[in-house]
Amino acid sequence: MNKKLRIGVIGAGRIGKLHSANLVNRVPNAELAAISDVYEPAAKELAEKLGVANYYSDYRKILEDPTIDAVFICSSTDTHSPISIEAAKAGKHIFCEKPIDHDLDVIKTVLDEVKKAGVKYQVGFNRRFDRNFKHVHDVVANGGIGDVQIVKVTSRDPEAPPISYVKVSGGIFVDMTIHDFDMVRYLSGSEVVEVSAMGACLVNPDIAKEGDVDTCIITMRFANGALGVIDNSRQAVYGYDQRIEVFGSKGCITADNETANNTTLYTVDGVTKEKPLWFFLERYNDAFIAEECAFVDACLNDTDTAVGAFDGLQPVLIGLAAKESCEKGGIPVKVQK
């Protein structure tokens, strides 16, 4: 019988539920051993639904369990770094949802503790595992479009988050755009060295009251000389808009939106096709499963994780530079090394 990785999930909210269900039903070499949530009834309900024996209000009970090999940190953003540090000290492999933290010094402390403990650490940048985006990456990495010259990412949510979420999100650049900063690094094969960002509140004026924007365009310069563009909106009324393009010296490759089906209807009245899928749970669930399988395999086979702690740090560095640029009217800002 193949060895299974015994896992504890910390946080039974939306993303914790998704990871828990996948670990039980879709990841062959994983065994979900325990679930914790500060609101114990949530942990209890999820555990009973999935047939998991142990549930707690205190995540430390997971860390103290010597039979548990790894944790998935799916709790609120402000807990990611302290739990990462505690889990590393407890000798647990760690899968952490993004971001690790908003404070660079804290992130570096997490990286130091992970290295000191010798445990695996993977950050939840799931879009790298989307089959179409991965194919674009592989084509680019194998020279299929020649030298990369332009990278473009469109990422627009179907509806703006509640203000209660905006208050604790850290702002659009380190909450939403952070996925896109990871994607441009992944697609270009190079680091972002300079950013210029312009933002506005065009969706919900209450977001401006929290010192944030809901619509933005970011231009970037990469270390390899290429240029990049990201456009974000908190509300695309037609669905979850996720598109990428990489243009190079020998050609161009794109990936379009996922839809419920790929049919197109042609009639005298016009040509119609499906709108994009509505939100990330539908759009990226296969990518979530792929990243979970990759983490489990890395732990069991003692190989490097696909998206390590360094990859968790870089998008935050870019996001902070973008935030600074936006606050200063879009002037170019160097990305901290």
Side-chain angles (χ1 to χ4, degrees), residues 236-267:
V237 295
Y238 48 85
Y240 194 38
D241 194 354
Q242 301 283 290
R243 290 171 283 149
I244 62 173
E245 174 186 309
V246 186
F247 174 84
S249 59
K250 295 181 179 178
C252 177
I253 184 167
T254 68
D256 209 338
N257 285 306
E258 291 281 356
T259 57
N261 61 67
N262 65 0
T263 62
T264 304
L265 174 63
Y266 299 83
T267 71

PDB file of all heavy atoms in Angstrom, residues 236-267:
ATOM      1  N   ALA A 236     -16.583  42.433 -13.420  1.00  0.00           N
ATOM      2  CA  ALA A 236     -16.900  42.206 -14.829  1.00  0.00           C
ATOM      3  C   ALA A 236     -18.279  41.559 -14.852  1.00  0.00           C
ATOM      4  O   ALA A 236     -18.438  40.400 -14.428  1.00  0.00           O
ATOM      5  CB  ALA A 236     -15.863  41.299 -15.480  1.00  0.00           C
ATOM      6  N   VAL A 237     -19.268  42.261 -15.323  1.00  0.00           N
ATOM      7  CA  VAL A 237     -20.658  41.816 -15.170  1.00  0.00           C
ATOM      8  C   VAL A 237     -20.961  40.521 -15.933  1.00  0.00           C
ATOM      9  O   VAL A 237     -21.962  39.858 -15.667  1.00  0.00           O
ATOM     10  CB  VAL A 237     -21.645  42.919 -15.617  1.00  0.00           C
ATOM     11  CG1 VAL A 237     -21.532  44.124 -14.702  1.00  0.00           C
ATOM     12  CG2 VAL A 237     -21.396  43.321 -17.077  1.00  0.00           C
ATOM     13  N   TYR A 238     -20.092  40.146 -16.861  1.00  0.00           N
ATOM     14  CA  TYR A 238     -20.340  38.967 -17.689  1.00  0.00           C
ATOM     15  C   TYR A 238     -19.688  37.700 -17.125  1.00  0.00           C
ATOM     16  O   TYR A 238     -19.850  36.620 -17.685  1.00  0.00           O
ATOM     17  CB  TYR A 238     -19.840  39.207 -19.115  1.00  0.00           C
ATOM     18  CG  TYR A 238     -18.433  39.776 -19.168  1.00  0.00           C
ATOM     19  CD1 TYR A 238     -17.321  38.941 -19.127  1.00  0.00           C
ATOM     20  CD2 TYR A 238     -18.226  41.142 -19.245  1.00  0.00           C
ATOM     21  CE1 TYR A 238     -16.039  39.459 -19.148  1.00  0.00           C
ATOM     22  CE2 TYR A 238     -16.953  41.670 -19.281  1.00  0.00           C
ATOM     23  CZ  TYR A 238     -15.854  40.829 -19.223  1.00  0.00           C
ATOM     24  OH  TYR A 238     -14.585  41.347 -19.241  1.00  0.00           O
ATOM     25  N   GLY A 239     -18.931  37.835 -16.015  1.00  0.00           N
ATOM     26  CA  GLY A 239     -18.321  36.635 -15.424  1.00  0.00           C
ATOM     27  C   GLY A 239     -16.854  36.837 -15.078  1.00  0.00           C
ATOM     28  O   GLY A 239     -16.328  37.955 -15.116  1.00  0.00           O
ATOM     29  N   TYR A 240     -16.202  35.745 -14.746  1.00  0.00           N
ATOM     30  CA  TYR A 240     -14.819  35.751 -14.277  1.00  0.00           C
ATOM     31  C   TYR A 240     -13.892  35.784 -15.484  1.00  0.00           C
ATOM     32  O   TYR A 240     -13.687  34.771 -16.147  1.00  0.00           O
ATOM     33  CB  TYR A 240     -14.598  34.502 -13.433  1.00  0.00           C
ATOM     34  CG  TYR A 240     -13.353  34.484 -12.596  1.00  0.00           C
ATOM     35  CD1 TYR A 240     -12.879  35.615 -11.953  1.00  0.00           C
ATOM     36  CD2 TYR A 240     -12.663  33.290 -12.401  1.00  0.00           C
ATOM     37  CE1 TYR A 240     -11.747  35.572 -11.161  1.00  0.00           C
ATOM     38  CE2 TYR A 240     -11.537  33.229 -11.594  1.00  0.00           C
ATOM     39  CZ  TYR A 240     -11.080  34.379 -10.984  1.00  0.00           C
ATOM     40  OH  TYR A 240      -9.968  34.327 -10.192  1.00  0.00           O
ATOM     41  N   ASP A 241     -13.317  36.943 -15.764  1.00  0.00           N
ATOM     42  CA  ASP A 241     -12.560  37.168 -16.991  1.00  0.00           C
ATOM     43  C   ASP A 241     -11.074  36.908 -16.735  1.00  0.00           C
ATOM     44  O   ASP A 241     -10.401  37.673 -16.044  1.00  0.00           O
ATOM     45  CB  ASP A 241     -12.779  38.615 -17.447  1.00  0.00           C
ATOM     46  CG  ASP A 241     -12.315  38.861 -18.871  1.00  0.00           C
ATOM     47  OD1 ASP A 241     -11.723  37.954 -19.480  1.00  0.00           O
ATOM     48  OD2 ASP A 241     -12.553  39.986 -19.376  1.00  0.00           O
ATOM     49  N   GLN A 242     -10.552  35.819 -17.321  1.00  0.00           N
ATOM     50  CA  GLN A 242      -9.176  35.376 -17.070  1.00  0.00           C
ATOM     51  C   GLN A 242      -8.501  35.040 -18.400  1.00  0.00           C
ATOM     52  O   GLN A 242      -8.721  33.973 -18.971  1.00  0.00           O
ATOM     53  CB  GLN A 242      -9.177  34.140 -16.172  1.00  0.00           C
ATOM     54  CG  GLN A 242      -9.836  34.337 -14.823  1.00  0.00           C
ATOM     55  CD  GLN A 242      -8.941  35.095 -13.866  1.00  0.00           C
ATOM     56  OE1 GLN A 242      -7.926  34.575 -13.417  1.00  0.00           O
ATOM     57  NE2 GLN A 242      -9.302  36.331 -13.565  1.00  0.00           N
ATOM     58  N   ARG A 243      -7.683  35.956 -18.905  1.00  0.00           N
ATOM     59  CA  ARG A 243      -7.031  35.739 -20.197  1.00  0.00           C
ATOM     60  C   ARG A 243      -5.558  36.121 -20.115  1.00  0.00           C
ATOM     61  O   ARG A 243      -5.192  37.032 -19.370  1.00  0.00           O
ATOM     62  CB  ARG A 243      -7.723  36.587 -21.279  1.00  0.00           C
ATOM     63  CG  ARG A 243      -9.125  36.124 -21.637  1.00  0.00           C
ATOM     64  CD  ARG A 243      -9.829  37.116 -22.539  1.00  0.00           C
ATOM     65  NE  ARG A 243     -10.318  38.279 -21.810  1.00  0.00           N
ATOM     66  CZ  ARG A 243     -10.430  39.503 -22.322  1.00  0.00           C
ATOM     67  NH1 ARG A 243     -10.030  39.739 -23.566  1.00  0.00           N
ATOM     68  NH2 ARG A 243     -10.920  40.493 -21.606  1.00  0.00           N
ATOM     69  N   ILE A 244      -4.741  35.415 -20.889  1.00  0.00           N
ATOM     70  CA  ILE A 244      -3.317  35.734 -20.928  1.00  0.00           C
ATOM     71  C   ILE A 244      -2.809  35.705 -22.367  1.00  0.00           C
ATOM     72  O   ILE A 244      -3.397  35.061 -23.245  1.00  0.00           O
ATOM     73  CB  ILE A 244      -2.474  34.752 -20.071  1.00  0.00           C
ATOM     74  CG1 ILE A 244      -2.594  33.319 -20.601  1.00  0.00           C
ATOM     75  CG2 ILE A 244      -2.869  34.828 -18.606  1.00  0.00           C
ATOM     76  CD1 ILE A 244      -1.655  32.335 -19.911  1.00  0.00           C
ATOM     77  N   GLU A 245      -1.707  36.421 -22.578  1.00  0.00           N
ATOM     78  CA  GLU A 245      -1.042  36.433 -23.884  1.00  0.00           C
ATOM     79  C   GLU A 245       0.444  36.644 -23.676  1.00  0.00           C
ATOM     80  O   GLU A 245       0.855  37.470 -22.852  1.00  0.00           O
ATOM     81  CB  GLU A 245      -1.595  37.566 -24.752  1.00  0.00           C
ATOM     82  CG  GLU A 245      -0.881  37.753 -26.080  1.00  0.00           C
ATOM     83  CD  GLU A 245      -1.369  38.982 -26.838  1.00  0.00           C
ATOM     84  OE1 GLU A 245      -2.594  39.124 -27.007  1.00  0.00           O
ATOM     85  OE2 GLU A 245      -0.519  39.799 -27.236  1.00  0.00           O
ATOM     86  N   VAL A 246       1.239  35.883 -24.411  1.00  0.00           N
ATOM     87  CA  VAL A 246       2.690  36.101 -24.420  1.00  0.00           C
ATOM     88  C   VAL A 246       3.112  36.261 -25.876  1.00  0.00           C
ATOM     89  O   VAL A 246       2.865  35.383 -26.710  1.00  0.00           O
ATOM     90  CB  VAL A 246       3.462  34.944 -23.762  1.00  0.00           C
ATOM     91  CG1 VAL A 246       4.950  35.304 -23.669  1.00  0.00           C
ATOM     92  CG2 VAL A 246       2.918  34.638 -22.369  1.00  0.00           C
ATOM     93  N   PHE A 247       3.748  37.401 -26.151  1.00  0.00           N
ATOM     94  CA  PHE A 247       4.182  37.751 -27.513  1.00  0.00           C
ATOM     95  C   PHE A 247       5.705  37.718 -27.553  1.00  0.00           C
ATOM     96  O   PHE A 247       6.381  38.203 -26.640  1.00  0.00           O
ATOM     97  CB  PHE A 247       3.673  39.148 -27.863  1.00  0.00           C
ATOM     98  CG  PHE A 247       4.167  39.686 -29.166  1.00  0.00           C
ATOM     99  CD1 PHE A 247       3.541  39.357 -30.350  1.00  0.00           C
ATOM    100  CD2 PHE A 247       5.275  40.526 -29.205  1.00  0.00           C
ATOM    101  CE1 PHE A 247       3.998  39.859 -31.557  1.00  0.00           C
ATOM    102  CE2 PHE A 247       5.740  41.036 -30.412  1.00  0.00           C
ATOM    103  CZ  PHE A 247       5.103  40.694 -31.585  1.00  0.00           C
ATOM    104  N   GLY A 248       6.236  37.115 -28.618  1.00  0.00           N
ATOM    105  CA  GLY A 248       7.681  36.998 -28.718  1.00  0.00           C
ATOM    106  C   GLY A 248       8.206  37.254 -30.111  1.00  0.00           C
ATOM    107  O   GLY A 248       7.460  37.586 -31.040  1.00  0.00           O
ATOM    108  N   SER A 249       9.499  37.058 -30.278  1.00  0.00           N
ATOM    109  CA  SER A 249      10.167  37.351 -31.545  1.00  0.00           C
ATOM    110  C   SER A 249       9.772  36.408 -32.674  1.00  0.00           C
ATOM    111  O   SER A 249       9.947  36.731 -33.847  1.00  0.00           O
ATOM    112  CB  SER A 249      11.690  37.299 -31.344  1.00  0.00           C
ATOM    113  OG  SER A 249      12.085  36.013 -30.869  1.00  0.00           O
ATOM    114  N   LYS A 250       9.198  35.242 -32.318  1.00  0.00           N
ATOM    115  CA  LYS A 250       8.819  34.269 -33.341  1.00  0.00           C
ATOM    116  C   LYS A 250       7.321  33.971 -33.375  1.00  0.00           C
ATOM    117  O   LYS A 250       6.880  33.117 -34.137  1.00  0.00           O
ATOM    118  CB  LYS A 250       9.579  32.948 -33.116  1.00  0.00           C
ATOM    119  CG  LYS A 250      11.078  33.055 -33.301  1.00  0.00           C
ATOM    120  CD  LYS A 250      11.738  31.696 -33.081  1.00  0.00           C
ATOM    121  CE  LYS A 250      13.241  31.774 -33.280  1.00  0.00           C
ATOM    122  NZ  LYS A 250      13.898  30.453 -33.027  1.00  0.00           N
ATOM    123  N   GLY A 251       6.553  34.666 -32.531  1.00  0.00           N
ATOM    124  CA  GLY A 251       5.127  34.393 -32.534  1.00  0.00           C
ATOM    125  C   GLY A 251       4.450  34.815 -31.249  1.00  0.00           C
ATOM    126  O   GLY A 251       5.011  35.557 -30.438  1.00  0.00           O
ATOM    127  N   CYS A 252       3.239  34.332 -31.067  1.00  0.00           N
ATOM    128  CA  CYS A 252       2.407  34.740 -29.945  1.00  0.00           C
ATOM    129  C   CYS A 252       1.540  33.559 -29.510  1.00  0.00           C
ATOM    130  O   CYS A 252       1.116  32.755 -30.348  1.00  0.00           O
ATOM    131  CB  CYS A 252       1.522  35.914 -30.375  1.00  0.00           C
ATOM    132  SG  CYS A 252       0.369  36.499 -29.142  1.00  0.00           S
ATOM    133  N   ILE A 253       1.281  33.427 -28.222  1.00  0.00           N
ATOM    134  CA  ILE A 253       0.394  32.379 -27.723  1.00  0.00           C
ATOM    135  C   ILE A 253      -0.560  32.989 -26.707  1.00  0.00           C
ATOM    136  O   ILE A 253      -0.163  33.841 -25.903  1.00  0.00           O
ATOM    137  CB  ILE A 253       1.175  31.198 -27.120  1.00  0.00           C
ATOM    138  CG1 ILE A 253       0.202  30.066 -26.703  1.00  0.00           C
ATOM    139  CG2 ILE A 253       2.074  31.620 -25.957  1.00  0.00           C
ATOM    140  CD1 ILE A 253       0.900  28.755 -26.393  1.00  0.00           C
ATOM    141  N   THR A 254      -1.828  32.584 -26.768  1.00  0.00           N
ATOM    142  CA  THR A 254      -2.850  33.126 -25.890  1.00  0.00           C
ATOM    143  C   THR A 254      -3.619  31.999 -25.217  1.00  0.00           C
ATOM    144  O   THR A 254      -3.629  30.863 -25.689  1.00  0.00           O
ATOM    145  CB  THR A 254      -3.861  34.004 -26.664  1.00  0.00           C
ATOM    146  OG1 THR A 254      -4.625  33.170 -27.546  1.00  0.00           O
ATOM    147  CG2 THR A 254      -3.157  35.082 -27.463  1.00  0.00           C
ATOM    148  N   ALA A 255      -4.267  32.321 -24.105  1.00  0.00           N
ATOM    149  CA  ALA A 255      -5.220  31.417 -23.463  1.00  0.00           C
ATOM    150  C   ALA A 255      -6.449  32.239 -23.114  1.00  0.00           C
ATOM    151  O   ALA A 255      -6.348  33.295 -22.479  1.00  0.00           O
ATOM    152  CB  ALA A 255      -4.631  30.779 -22.209  1.00  0.00           C
ATOM    153  N   ASP A 256      -7.613  31.754 -23.538  1.00  0.00           N
ATOM    154  CA  ASP A 256      -8.858  32.493 -23.372  1.00  0.00           C
ATOM    155  C   ASP A 256      -9.616  31.993 -22.139  1.00  0.00           C
ATOM    156  O   ASP A 256      -9.179  31.087 -21.428  1.00  0.00           O
ATOM    157  CB  ASP A 256      -9.721  32.349 -24.630  1.00  0.00           C
ATOM    158  CG  ASP A 256     -10.620  33.555 -24.868  1.00  0.00           C
ATOM    159  OD1 ASP A 256     -10.895  34.289 -23.896  1.00  0.00           O
ATOM    160  OD2 ASP A 256     -11.057  33.752 -26.024  1.00  0.00           O
ATOM    161  N   ASN A 257     -10.796  32.553 -21.935  1.00  0.00           N
ATOM    162  CA  ASN A 257     -11.627  32.174 -20.798  1.00  0.00           C
ATOM    163  C   ASN A 257     -12.159  30.756 -20.925  1.00  0.00           C
ATOM    164  O   ASN A 257     -12.374  30.251 -22.039  1.00  0.00           O
ATOM    165  CB  ASN A 257     -12.817  33.133 -20.673  1.00  0.00           C
ATOM    166  CG  ASN A 257     -12.425  34.477 -20.110  1.00  0.00           C
ATOM    167  OD1 ASN A 257     -11.827  34.548 -19.049  1.00  0.00           O
ATOM    168  ND2 ASN A 257     -12.759  35.546 -20.819  1.00  0.00           N
ATOM    169  N   GLU A 258     -12.384  30.123 -19.792  1.00  0.00           N
ATOM    170  CA  GLU A 258     -13.100  28.861 -19.739  1.00  0.00           C
ATOM    171  C   GLU A 258     -14.595  29.166 -19.724  1.00  0.00           C
ATOM    172  O   GLU A 258     -15.057  30.100 -19.055  1.00  0.00           O
ATOM    173  CB  GLU A 258     -12.728  28.081 -18.473  1.00  0.00           C
ATOM    174  CG  GLU A 258     -11.300  27.559 -18.461  1.00  0.00           C
ATOM    175  CD  GLU A 258     -11.138  26.295 -19.291  1.00  0.00           C
ATOM    176  OE1 GLU A 258     -12.153  25.786 -19.815  1.00  0.00           O
ATOM    177  OE2 GLU A 258     -10.002  25.821 -19.428  1.00  0.00           O
ATOM    178  N   THR A 259     -15.360  28.361 -20.461  1.00  0.00           N
ATOM    179  CA  THR A 259     -16.813  28.526 -20.499  1.00  0.00           C
ATOM    180  C   THR A 259     -17.481  27.192 -20.183  1.00  0.00           C
ATOM    181  O   THR A 259     -16.823  26.142 -20.160  1.00  0.00           O
ATOM    182  CB  THR A 259     -17.279  29.012 -21.881  1.00  0.00           C
ATOM    183  OG1 THR A 259     -16.838  28.076 -22.884  1.00  0.00           O
ATOM    184  CG2 THR A 259     -16.711  30.386 -22.204  1.00  0.00           C
ATOM    185  N   ALA A 260     -18.781  27.226 -19.939  1.00  0.00           N
ATOM    186  CA  ALA A 260     -19.505  25.996 -19.590  1.00  0.00           C
ATOM    187  C   ALA A 260     -19.427  24.972 -20.718  1.00  0.00           C
ATOM    188  O   ALA A 260     -19.406  23.762 -20.492  1.00  0.00           O
ATOM    189  CB  ALA A 260     -20.960  26.326 -19.272  1.00  0.00           C
ATOM    190  N   ASN A 261     -19.381  25.451 -21.964  1.00  0.00           N
ATOM    191  CA  ASN A 261     -19.128  24.585 -23.114  1.00  0.00           C
ATOM    192  C   ASN A 261     -18.454  25.426 -24.187  1.00  0.00           C
ATOM    193  O   ASN A 261     -18.428  26.659 -24.093  1.00  0.00           O
ATOM    194  CB  ASN A 261     -20.417  23.919 -23.627  1.00  0.00           C
ATOM    195  CG  ASN A 261     -21.441  24.940 -24.095  1.00  0.00           C
ATOM    196  OD1 ASN A 261     -21.234  25.636 -25.089  1.00  0.00           O
ATOM    197  ND2 ASN A 261     -22.559  25.043 -23.377  1.00  0.00           N
ATOM    198  N   ASN A 262     -17.891  24.784 -25.189  1.00  0.00           N
ATOM    199  CA  ASN A 262     -17.147  25.537 -26.214  1.00  0.00           C
ATOM    200  C   ASN A 262     -17.906  25.641 -27.531  1.00  0.00           C
ATOM    201  O   ASN A 262     -17.318  25.820 -28.585  1.00  0.00           O
ATOM    202  CB  ASN A 262     -15.763  24.915 -26.442  1.00  0.00           C
ATOM    203  CG  ASN A 262     -15.835  23.517 -27.024  1.00  0.00           C
ATOM    204  OD1 ASN A 262     -16.920  22.979 -27.269  1.00  0.00           O
ATOM    205  ND2 ASN A 262     -14.682  22.905 -27.253  1.00  0.00           N
ATOM    206  N   THR A 263     -19.242  25.544 -27.461  1.00  0.00           N
ATOM    207  CA  THR A 263     -20.051  25.641 -28.676  1.00  0.00           C
ATOM    208  C   THR A 263     -20.291  27.088 -29.067  1.00  0.00           C
ATOM    209  O   THR A 263     -20.265  27.995 -28.243  1.00  0.00           O
ATOM    210  CB  THR A 263     -21.412  24.949 -28.482  1.00  0.00           C
ATOM    211  OG1 THR A 263     -22.138  25.609 -27.425  1.00  0.00           O
ATOM    212  CG2 THR A 263     -21.227  23.488 -28.112  1.00  0.00           C
ATOM    213  N   THR A 264     -20.517  27.287 -30.342  1.00  0.00           N
ATOM    214  CA  THR A 264     -20.886  28.598 -30.870  1.00  0.00           C
ATOM    215  C   THR A 264     -22.113  28.430 -31.758  1.00  0.00           C
ATOM    216  O   THR A 264     -22.148  27.553 -32.624  1.00  0.00           O
ATOM    217  CB  THR A 264     -19.733  29.205 -31.692  1.00  0.00           C
ATOM    218  OG1 THR A 264     -18.549  29.274 -30.883  1.00  0.00           O
ATOM    219  CG2 THR A 264     -20.085  30.604 -32.174  1.00  0.00           C
ATOM    220  N   LEU A 265     -23.149  29.252 -31.502  1.00  0.00           N
ATOM    221  CA  LEU A 265     -24.394  29.175 -32.259  1.00  0.00           C
ATOM    222  C   LEU A 265     -24.413  30.275 -33.313  1.00  0.00           C
ATOM    223  O   LEU A 265     -24.255  31.464 -33.003  1.00  0.00           O
ATOM    224  CB  LEU A 265     -25.587  29.336 -31.315  1.00  0.00           C
ATOM    225  CG  LEU A 265     -26.972  29.433 -31.973  1.00  0.00           C
ATOM    226  CD1 LEU A 265     -27.305  28.132 -32.719  1.00  0.00           C
ATOM    227  CD2 LEU A 265     -28.032  29.766 -30.932  1.00  0.00           C
ATOM    228  N   TYR A 266     -24.619  29.872 -34.595  1.00  0.00           N
ATOM    229  CA  TYR A 266     -24.696  30.815 -35.700  1.00  0.00           C
ATOM    230  C   TYR A 266     -26.125  30.827 -36.240  1.00  0.00           C
ATOM    231  O   TYR A 266     -26.646  29.789 -36.668  1.00  0.00           O
ATOM    232  CB  TYR A 266     -23.752  30.399 -36.829  1.00  0.00           C
ATOM    233  CG  TYR A 266     -22.289  30.350 -36.443  1.00  0.00           C
ATOM    234  CD1 TYR A 266     -21.758  29.228 -35.812  1.00  0.00           C
ATOM    235  CD2 TYR A 266     -21.440  31.415 -36.731  1.00  0.00           C
ATOM    236  CE1 TYR A 266     -20.410  29.173 -35.470  1.00  0.00           C
ATOM    237  CE2 TYR A 266     -20.096  31.364 -36.394  1.00  0.00           C
ATOM    238  CZ  TYR A 266     -19.593  30.244 -35.762  1.00  0.00           C
ATOM    239  OH  TYR A 266     -18.260  30.191 -35.426  1.00  0.00           O
ATOM    240  N   THR A 267     -26.796  31.979 -36.205  1.00  0.00           N
ATOM    241  CA  THR A 267     -28.145  32.092 -36.761  1.00  0.00           C
ATOM    242  C   THR A 267     -28.268  33.423 -37.492  1.00  0.00           C
ATOM    243  O   THR A 267     -27.352  34.259 -37.467  1.00  0.00           O
ATOM    244  CB  THR A 267     -29.227  32.029 -35.660  1.00  0.00           C
ATOM    245  OG1 THR A 267     -29.185  33.244 -34.897  1.00  0.00           O
ATOM    246  CG2 THR A 267     -29.022  30.836 -34.737  1.00  0.00           C
TER     247      THR A 267
END
